């Protein structure tokens, strides 16, 4: 047993947290959860009352929500160098939570076929979905990584949103997005995480 436990399903947002854990490089225990009733048992609801994954427990502290897990692990394991110094975190926070906020909401609505009337766009955090894509495209054209010249947890979380969006056609396959995701998905930690989740899927976990 380690002091870091990870609850996941390989076909969920747990894949994001898995990638982050592999970037951190600390040993962790994995608990694979089935969808539906297995996530609603009292033992797991004590971890996450929402009854969903991912979740982690580190030295008695429970963290849920993939973006929060990424941010927490970056701070809990500073030796992995996955967050900039505090005084340089403006872009890091901006793009980490851009992914968790407007980007994910817009992508989810797109996938579900939800179209917000133009006159109601002020009610949703992302406003114009096309502007979300354009804003993100501008950023990945500006620098190699979202927070600047260094890979960070923002690339794990928001980068995963880009990879997912490209895979399912939610994000247009423009060269800037394809080039960015090719760099991110080539990282050894991402490849290890993908292989571990693929093995679980293959084993019908």
């Amino acid at each position: 047993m380690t002091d870091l436990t990870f609850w996941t399903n390989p076909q969920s947002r747990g894949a994001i947290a898995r990638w982050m854990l592999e970037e951190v490089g600390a040993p962790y225990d994995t608990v694979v959860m089935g969808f539906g009733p297995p996530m609603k048992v009292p033992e797991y609801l004590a971890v996450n009352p929402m009854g969903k994954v991912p979740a982690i427990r580190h030295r008695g502290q429970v963290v849920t929500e993939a973006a929060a897990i990424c941010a927490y692990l970056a701070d809990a394991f500073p030796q992995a160098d996955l967050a900039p110094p505090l005084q340089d975190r403006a872009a890091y926070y901006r793009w980490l939570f851009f992914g968790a906020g407007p980007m994910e909401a817009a992508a989810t609505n797109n996938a579900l076929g939800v179209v917000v009337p133009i006159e109601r766009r002020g009610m949703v955090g992302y406003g114009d979905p096309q502007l979300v894509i354009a804003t993100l495209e501008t950023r990945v054209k500006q620098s190699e990584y979202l927070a600047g010249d260094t890979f960070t947890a923002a690339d794990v979380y928001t980068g995963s949103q880009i990879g997912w969006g490209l895979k399912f056609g939610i994000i247009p396959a423009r060269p800037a997005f394809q080039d960015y995701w090719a760099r991110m998905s080539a990282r050894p930690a991402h490849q290890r995480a993908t292989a571990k989740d693929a093995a679980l899927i293959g084993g019908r976990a």
Side-chain angles (χ1 to χ4, degrees), residues 86-184:
L86 188 59
Q87 67 272 17
D88 298 322
R89 288 193 182 184
Y92 168 74
Y93 286 134
R94 177 184 181 183
W95 295 105
L96 176 61
F97 294 108
F98 182 88
M103 185 178 175
E104 179 163 354
T108 300
N109 277 358
N110 188 355
L112 294 172
V114 175
V115 178
V116 178
I118 292 176
E119 67 274 14
R120 297 292 184 89
R121 285 181 176 175
M123 297 178 64
V124 294
Y126 58 83
D128 181 349
Q130 295 306 312
L131 186 56
V132 172
I133 297 298
T135 299
L136 189 62
E137 183 180 22
T138 297
R139 184 56 182 173
V140 297
K141 285 179 177 179
Q142 287 175 333
S143 60
E144 185 173 1
Y145 302 107
L146 290 172
D149 297 328
T150 304
F151 178 86
T152 68
D155 295 293
V156 175
Y157 184 80
T158 304
S160 292
Q161 299 281 350
I162 292 173
W164 179 85
L166 288 171
K167 181 177 180 179
F168 293 102
I170 304 301
I171 289 180
R174 297 173 186 169
F177 291 132
Q178 292 176 317
D179 291 347
Y180 170 83
W181 181 239
R183 295 194 301 274
M184 300 307 106

